[in-house]
Amino acid sequence: MSEAQWHPHQVTKDPYDPKVKFRKRRWSPKVRTGCAQCRARRIKCDETKPICKRCSTSRLVCDFVSWCPKNSLAPTLTVSSSPLTVQPTKSEQELNHLFRTKLTLNSADEFNEDLWKIHIPLASQSQAPIWHASIAFAALWRYQMAKSSIDTLFKQQMYEESLRQYSSALHCVLQLTQKPKLSMTDQVSILVANVLFLRCCMNRGDAEAGQAIVASSVQLIHHWNLFHCDTSSTPIPSNMVVLFFSKMGRYLYQSLLTTGHSPWQWEKGLAALRGKPIVSCTDACLELEMIWTGARAVIEELPVQPKVKRVGKAYKSQTKFRDSFRIWSSKFDALQRQPYILRTDHIRLSVLLVRKILVQILVNVDIGRLETSWDDYYADFERATLLAKSVLETGGLDRDKKKTIFTPMLAKSLHFMARVCRHPRLRRQIVQLLAPQLGMARLLSIDEDYSPTQIQDTMIAVEESGWAMIRIGQSECDCLIECVPDEYICSNHRVVTVDVNLRPGKASELRLRTRADVINQRSGHIVFVAAPFLM
């Protein structure tokens, strides 16, 4: 210490003075006896047997008996084991490792993170259909990533491997269906294989095959009545799988930005969940997602100029969803009072609160004057935007403040608000929040490409085009209330449909049509985007 830094009242400790005692850091060995789920999630396990409290609270399958550090199936490990009796090839092991360590991370959102990061990687090494399907998905991904002409032979090998593994996975699924009686584990295994089949279809841009997989999976869920099953009785919680298909049903029939016919198939499931308590954020999200997709379908199935009888029918359907939402809200309020939920699921709760505000708007909006009735909920849109901003900027927990928070479900809520809200300042604020989000997965090599925020900017530009005509004294607003520059967009200038033309291997075509375009049978505006439903 130099004289310039020394202070007469400063006390220093002599390391050679026997009277001075230095604090020693308490040493404790790293615990390696916790369950696989807690170790994979990097949380402390209380090691209660046969089910630890963490797994019991989160309704996960605790596997103290089957787990050991040497043969751990956690997705972070490099060793790949196969459920097959035949020794897997080195290529199969590498592809399964790629699937577990990289591709599953890219597929997860806020509410199915455990499904993709823990349960599916574990199941891929213990259940044959999922093993083959995971390799098929990984091989397809490598085929699409090999862009240069030098990799022609490698691309061909990966393409053939993907087809071979896809066929093997289908064969394993058919073998399961030939059993006299399927166990619940077999049922969930078939559905998870369908999840991976669906991901392959999405990456190929094959929307028709994807729709068929979702439709058949929804039928199986209802046939097996998985809404009443105990989620802890299977290696993969069934509620997470049901939640995945409840989301994907809408996204395959239409992109995030598209309006139009959106079939709703969850009436039986919603009725079954009504009487069940909500014990986790996954349960809360599943039931709310059914109400969200159903309430949106009621509004989006209405034509641009609906008849009185059609509007009356929509009002009745909206009332049913309003009652379901009221029941869900009371159960969700009880969930929020649970201390373990507040500590561990702050981000998920915030995302659900944003969606709750939007569902409340959907079940109360006046369908009879739909385009202008959104303006009555400006304060609610602003409150939801502020809540979403707090999640994206802070991450909810102190340890996540320096991380980029990726919240796909929250991004979908923001997209919806940017569509229906007509306040110029708030809409642009929402688009700014969407900018950092990794909105769409781009697996295609294309030249023409738009990000989600660029699409939203295009929609706003189309809707605000009437302002320019008013400024030069040539208003083209043929409605009761005309556009007010920088303040108000009339009903006829609102974008009401975005039709998607999926073109495998090329940029997908999006056709934006305003209300006036539909009424006057005009073609509208066309933009191009990479696989708009991949999010």
Side-chain angles (χ1 to χ4, degrees), residues 476-491:
E476 56 181 18
C477 303
D478 186 18
C479 51
L480 295 176
I481 304 176
E482 294 187 348
C483 289
V484 179
D486 302 322
E487 292 185 15
Y488 185 83
I489 302 168
C490 73
S491 298

Side-chain angles (χ1 to χ4, degrees), residues 27 30 143 173 178 214 255 272 306 316 357 381 456 463 528:
W27 180 86
K30 187 174 182 179
Y143 162 75
V173 169
Q178 293 173 0
V214 171
S255 74
K316 291 181 180 179
I357 296 172
F381 285 130
Q456 290 290 1
E463 293 183 346
F528 295 90

Side-chain angles (χ1 to χ4, degrees), residues 4-22:
Q5 295 176 327
W6 182 84
H7 192 276
H9 299 288
Q10 184 174 346
V11 179
T12 58
K13 294 183 179 181
D14 185 359
Y16 299 102
D17 189 349
K19 296 181 180 180
V20 177
K21 295 183 179 181
F22 288 87

